[in-house]
């Protein structure tokens, strides 16, 4: 009769063999090249730095202080949960807000260079989520996607390549927190792809976003009739760069409409296909997002999506990249070792250079096993929640009713579907002077409600455009801080201000009908 210990050993061996066999089969579809992980880390860090330094920092006073358009009292009234969880809501001071952004920048620089990567990633995701929660009116779907993938990055060995952490951890084979096995270096210096639950969830999350977007567009009359993209490009406040020029060519935009639907429909090939076909699909999405960045005011969204798409590029692409880099630097050998670390030092290595596994006590082994199981459950639950939320977004399941959901609907991942905007909109702020004369506070000229010649100039920055778009259906009480901010910032002796929201219907060929203005608030200064 086989002893119990021997039976358990044989069962464990069979389980390990089955797990390895499953990983080998899944790796071509759900594995990630270590070089892609390094490139993704750098690209995401640059996206965060761009968002913080280009968009957020110059607008700290307007959007993140009590003297701005959304003081903490209003945030607590409208979104009490966000006010309770946001670290940035602890103070309405500009100095505190600026200091928190400075800390976030430092953490992001650590992520960029791969210094204590997991700690830098964790601090970055906490501070970024907190900043976005402080003012949800100045974010879009790209910002929420950035936070989601930054969180998923905690379960990936981001310091696998091109990082300071690579030298720190040495050549040892590691395990990432989600229970996946680190990639072992081959003799040619190129590591095989890392495959774990963390890599699978990360890749499938992006595919689920594209797939849900495709379903949403199938359910849209505007998209399925080919008029959605031409109509979107008639929103003058949204189009920048090459956008106004492209808006004059409705036939070209109609073709773009169908090409985008076709590309979204093929998004499943990002994980089903392998090799150069997979690379071609990923690069097609990259090209589409570059086109968005060149024509529309979308903040960091296109660049976040491009950063994530780097994870799908197969080894052949990175081999070409490294070969080109070697030629530029006059080197014929591998640029550096391919893989170093996928986890914390506390889990895998000792400071004295010995392996923790060699001296781990049974208690330590159980603790590590518990952490891995907890990480697996967290990842699986998080992914299922995301899929459920996206299914609700396309109408496949029901979500609980939310009073403010309409105002922030564009923070979702629907991206102009199923109902793309059919009206261009802008604001007119009429100021009444002590003399009784009325002026346009923004321009200092006579008040006019006509569509601006360059509608994009109606919003000074991308964040003001996002804020105005989210606020267009808000009640009078939410405009009071806006009126107070306008009064404070005006360089004229204004006795009162009146805020009007103006809409101009559009079709694929341009504006139609008459503009309609609605008074949002009239307040004394």
């Amino acid at each position: 009769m086989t002893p119990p210990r021997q039976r358990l050993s044989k069962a464990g061996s069979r389980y390990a063999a089955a797990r390895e066999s499953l990983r080998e089969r899944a790796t071509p579809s759900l594995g990630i090249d270590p070089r892609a992980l390094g490139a993704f880390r750098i690209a995401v860090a640059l996206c965060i730095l761009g968002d913080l330094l280009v968009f957020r920092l110059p607008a700290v006073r307007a959007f993140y202080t009590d003297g701005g358009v959304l003081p903490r009292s209003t945030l607590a009234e409208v979104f009490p949960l966000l006010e309770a969880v946001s670290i940035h809501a602890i103070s309405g001071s500009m100095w505190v807000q600026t200091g928190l952004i400075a800390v976030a920048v430092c953490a992001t620089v650590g992520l960029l260079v791969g210094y204590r990567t997991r700690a830098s990633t964790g601090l970055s995701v906490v501070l970024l989520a907190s900043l976005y929660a402080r003012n949800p009116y100045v974010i879009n779907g790209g910002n929420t996607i950035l936070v989601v993938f930054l969180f998923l990055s905690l379960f990936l060995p981001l310091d696998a390549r091109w990082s300071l952490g690579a030298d720190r951890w040495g050549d040892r084979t590691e395990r990432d927190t989600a229970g996946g096995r680190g990639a072992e270096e081959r003799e040619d210096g190129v590591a095989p792809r890392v495959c774990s639950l963390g890599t699978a969830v990360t890749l499938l999350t992006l595919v689920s976003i594209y797939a849900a977007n495709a379903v949403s567009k199938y359910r849209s009359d505007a998209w399925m009739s080919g008029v959605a993209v031409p109509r979107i490009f008639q929103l003058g406040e949204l189009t920048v760069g090459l956008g106004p020029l492209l808006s004059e060519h409705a036939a070209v935009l109609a073709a773009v409409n169908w090409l985008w639907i076709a590309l979204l429909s093929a998004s499943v090939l990002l994980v089903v296909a392998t090799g150069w076909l997979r690379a071609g699909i990923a690069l097609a999405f990259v090209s589409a997002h570059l086109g968005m960045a060149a024509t529309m005011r979308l903040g960091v969204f296109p660049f976040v999506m491009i950063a994530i798409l780097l994870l799908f590029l197969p080894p052949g692409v990175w081999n070409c990249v490294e070969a080109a880099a070697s030629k530029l630097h006059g080197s014929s050998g591998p640029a550096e070792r391919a893989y170093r670390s996928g986890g914390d030092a506390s889990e895998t290595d000792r400071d004295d250079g010995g392996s923790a596994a060699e001296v781990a006590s049974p208690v330590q082994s159980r603790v590590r096993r518990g952490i891995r199981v907890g990480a697996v459950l967290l990842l699986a639950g998080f992914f299922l929640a995301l899929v459920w939320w996206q299914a609700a977004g396309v109408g496949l399941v029901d979500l609980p009713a939310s009073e403010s959901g309409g105002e922030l609907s564009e923070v979702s991942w629907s991206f102009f579907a199923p109902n793309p905007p059919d009206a261009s909109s802008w604001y007119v702020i009429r100021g009444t002077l002590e003399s009784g004369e009325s002026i346009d506070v923004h321009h200092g000229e006579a008040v006019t409600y006509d569509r601006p010649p360059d509608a994009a100039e109606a919003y000074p920055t991308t964040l003001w455009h996002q804020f105005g778009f989210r606020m267009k259906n808000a009640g009078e009480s939410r405009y009071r801080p806006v009126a107070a901010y306008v009064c404070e910032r005006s360089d004229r002796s204004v006795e009162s201000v009146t805020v009007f929201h103006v809409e101009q219907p559009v079709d694929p060929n341009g504006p139609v009908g008459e503009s309609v203005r609605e008074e949002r608030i009239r307040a004394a200064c």
Side-chain angles (χ1 to χ4, degrees):
M1 182 176 180
T2 307
R5 185 182 299 273
Q6 188 174 350
R7 288 201 303 270
L8 289 174
S9 177
K10 290 182 178 179
S13 298
R14 287 195 297 269
Y15 169 74
R19 184 178 60 186
E20 289 303 312
S21 176
L22 178 62
R23 179 181 287 115
E24 288 179 4
R25 294 183 180 183
T27 294
S29 297
L30 301 177
I32 301 176
D33 191 288
R35 294 162 294 186
L37 290 167
F40 167 75
R41 186 196 77 249
I42 294 169
V44 163
L46 290 176
C47 287
I48 299 172
L49 288 175
D51 192 38
L52 293 175
L53 299 178
V54 176
F55 295 110
R56 311 289 162 179
L57 187 59
V60 167
R61 185 184 298 277
F63 295 116
Y64 297 106
T65 69
D66 284 345
V69 295
L70 188 68
R72 289 176 297 156
S73 57
T74 304
L75 178 67
E77 175 188 347
V78 182
F79 302 105
L81 178 59
L82 297 184
E83 193 274 338
V85 301
S86 175
I87 300 171
H88 291 72
I90 61 175
S91 171
S93 164
M94 180 175 177
W95 297 109
V96 171
Q97 299 301 317
T98 303
L100 287 171
I101 289 179
V103 174
V105 168
C106 292
T108 306
V109 170
L111 177 63
L112 177 68
V113 300
Y115 176 73
R116 296 193 179 276
T117 307
R118 187 155 292 158
S120 297
T121 304
L123 184 57
S124 294
V125 71
V126 168
L127 291 176
L128 200 63
S130 171
L131 180 65
Y132 292 162
R134 172 61 183 85
N135 192 338
Y137 287 104
V138 288
I139 64 174
N140 61 17
N143 299 115
T144 55
I145 288 174
L146 177 58
V147 170
V148 165
F149 278 87
L150 198 58
F151 170 75
L152 292 176
S153 297
L154 291 169
F155 304 92
L156 300 175
L158 293 187
D159 52 1
R161 285 296 297 266
W162 306 317
S163 71
L164 296 180
D167 292 331
R168 180 184 175 193
W169 301 123
D171 296 356
R172 303 177 188 92
T173 300
E174 313 242 64
R175 295 177 181 271
D176 67 14
T177 321
R181 185 183 64 179
E184 297 177 355
E185 191 174 0
R186 295 203 303 251
E187 292 181 359
D188 58 5
V190 178
R193 279 177 279 192
V194 181
C195 186
S196 69
L197 181 62
T199 64
V201 168
T202 300
L203 298 181
L204 290 173
T205 295
L206 184 66
V207 173
S208 71
I209 292 172
Y210 284 140
N213 198 242
V215 172
S216 185
K217 286 174 170 53
Y218 293 150
R219 299 162 67 92
S220 167
D221 292 337
W223 282 95
M224 297 311 294
S225 60
V227 302
V229 171
R231 196 164 79 191
I232 290 169
F233 272 78
Q234 296 303 324
L235 306 177
E237 68 277 15
L238 179 66
T239 55
V240 293
L242 299 176
L245 177 63
L246 198 57
S247 66
E248 301 175 1
H249 303 279
V252 174
L253 292 173
V256 171
N257 183 107
W258 294 112
L259 287 172
W260 181 235
I261 292 176
L263 189 57
L264 290 172
S265 303
S267 59
V268 68
L269 293 178
L270 286 170
V271 292
V272 172
T274 59
W276 290 105
L277 176 58
R278 178 172 179 164
I281 298 294
L283 292 175
F285 274 106
V286 168
S287 300
H289 289 300
L290 286 175
M292 295 176 191
T295 56
M296 292 188 285
R297 182 183 261 171
L298 298 174
V300 296
F301 164 70
F303 306 104
V304 170
M305 302 304 285
I306 291 170
I308 300 168
L309 286 163
L310 294 176
L311 297 173
F312 290 85
L313 296 180
V317 173
W318 297 108
N319 292 340
C320 292
V321 170
E322 287 199 328
S326 297
K327 290 180 180 179
L328 289 176
H329 290 86
S331 172
S332 58
E336 59 173 300
R337 292 193 177 274
Y339 181 82
R340 296 297 189 225
S341 169
D344 280 326
S346 59
E347 292 177 18
T348 54
D349 293 299
R350 292 165 52 92
D351 291 335
D352 60 5
S355 170
E358 295 174 0
V359 296
S361 68
V363 174
Q364 291 174 322
S365 298
R366 286 195 293 270
V367 169
R368 287 199 299 271
R369 189 179 301 113
I371 292 174
R372 287 196 294 269
V373 171
V376 167
L377 294 176
L378 177 61
L379 265 177
F382 186 77
F383 178 68
L384 291 175
L386 282 180
V387 171
W388 177 79
W389 182 66
Q390 291 180 85
V394 298
L396 299 180
V397 299
D398 294 329
L399 272 177
S402 173
E403 295 180 1
S404 55
E407 295 171 14
L408 297 179
S409 60
E410 289 301 317
V411 178
S412 70
W413 300 340
S414 58
F415 307 134
F416 301 117
N419 302 309
D422 58 1
S424 179
S425 65
W426 62 94
Y427 288 85
V428 174
I429 303 179
R430 186 182 68 197
T432 303
L433 305 179
E434 293 178 354
S435 62
E437 179 188 0
S438 294
I439 63 168
D440 186 313
V441 174
H442 181 57
H443 300 288
E445 301 173 351
V447 178
T448 176
Y449 302 99
D450 296 333
R451 188 183 189 191
D454 185 353
E457 291 186 356
Y459 299 94
T461 66
T462 297
L463 293 192
W464 278 110
H465 172 248
Q466 292 175 353
F467 182 77
F469 185 79
R470 310 280 181 264
M471 285 282 289
K472 64 181 182 180
N473 296 319
E476 179 178 326
S477 63
R478 301 184 198 179
Y479 278 95
R480 289 197 186 101
V482 177
Y485 178 80
V486 170
C487 288
E488 180 185 351
R489 303 289 291 179
S490 175
D491 57 358
R492 303 287 293 271
S493 298
V494 179
E495 283 195 338
S496 66
V497 297
T498 306
V499 179
F500 294 92
H501 179 257
V502 188
E503 282 195 348
Q504 170 72 61
V506 298
D507 67 12
N509 298 310
V512 294
E514 298 293 329
S515 60
V516 178
R517 70 174 184 264
E518 294 184 0
E519 182 179 309
R520 291 294 185 238
I521 189 172
R522 179 180 299 173
C525 292

